[in-house]
């Protein structure tokens, strides 16, 4: 997520993933310790801290995920573009449904 957006705050990552900010902070601590991200302050608001990818380390990430990439490409090759579009549509809609249900569970109940 950080790679696709260029940078993100812990709050943004928590919102996107549904994890708590505490859980995200633990993940960011591990990523920073491993040398995959760095934290930078927003020059306009020093309270805001961004996690940014360290692009010099992308080769390590690419190498780690190469077997998964190869396996997924092989799997995708078994389906037509139309079938893949149907699968993607299903995944998007099911994720939206799960997100809506999760949001409903987080709402306070009045009893």
């Amino acid at each position: 997520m950080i790679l696709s957006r260029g940078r993100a705050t812990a709050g943004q990552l928590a919102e996107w993933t549904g994890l708590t900010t505490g859980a995200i902070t633990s993940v960011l601590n591990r990523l920073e310790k491993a040398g995959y991200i760095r934290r930078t302050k927003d020059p306009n608001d020093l309270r805001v801290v961004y996690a940014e990818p360290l692009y010099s380390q992308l080769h390590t990430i690419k190498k780690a995920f190469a077997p998964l990439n190869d396996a997924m490409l092989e799997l995708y090759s078994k389906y037509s573009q139309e079938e893949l579009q149907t699968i993607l549509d299903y995944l998007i809609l099911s994720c939206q449904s799960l997100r809506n249900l999760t949001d409903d569970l987080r709402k306070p109940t009045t009893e």
Side-chain angles (χ1 to χ4, degrees):
M1 290 181 171
I2 296 169
L3 277 173
S4 67
R5 290 169 171 86
R7 67 181 188 175
T9 66
Q12 288 171 323
L13 291 165
E15 182 180 327
W16 297 333
T17 62
L19 297 171
T20 65
T21 53
I24 291 295
T25 298
S26 294
V27 170
L28 293 176
N29 288 343
R30 284 184 242 142
L31 289 171
E32 186 174 41
K33 185 177 179 181
Y36 297 126
I37 65 155
R38 69 172 169 225
R39 289 180 165 114
T40 60
K41 292 189 180 233
D42 184 322
N44 299 316
D45 186 348
L46 297 179
R47 297 171 296 173
V48 177
V49 177
Y50 289 102
E52 298 179 341
L54 289 174
Y55 293 101
S56 61
Q57 297 303 315
L58 290 183
H59 66 282
T60 306
I61 296 169
K62 186 175 180 179
K63 183 178 177 184
F65 282 94
L68 174 62
N69 183 62
D70 294 344
M72 295 311 293
L73 288 173
E74 183 179 338
L75 177 62
Y76 299 153
S77 71
K78 298 178 188 301
Y79 297 94
S80 69
Q81 282 301 114
E82 185 177 287
E83 290 169 325
L84 287 171
Q85 187 58 49
T86 300
I87 293 167
L88 179 60
D89 183 58
Y90 169 80
L91 291 171
I92 289 170
L93 293 175
S94 63
C95 286
Q96 287 172 348
S97 293
L98 291 170
R99 172 62 82 180
N100 291 340
L101 291 169
T102 301
D103 290 345
D104 288 346
L105 289 172
R106 288 187 176 143
K107 291 178 185 171
T109 58
T110 54
E111 289 186 34

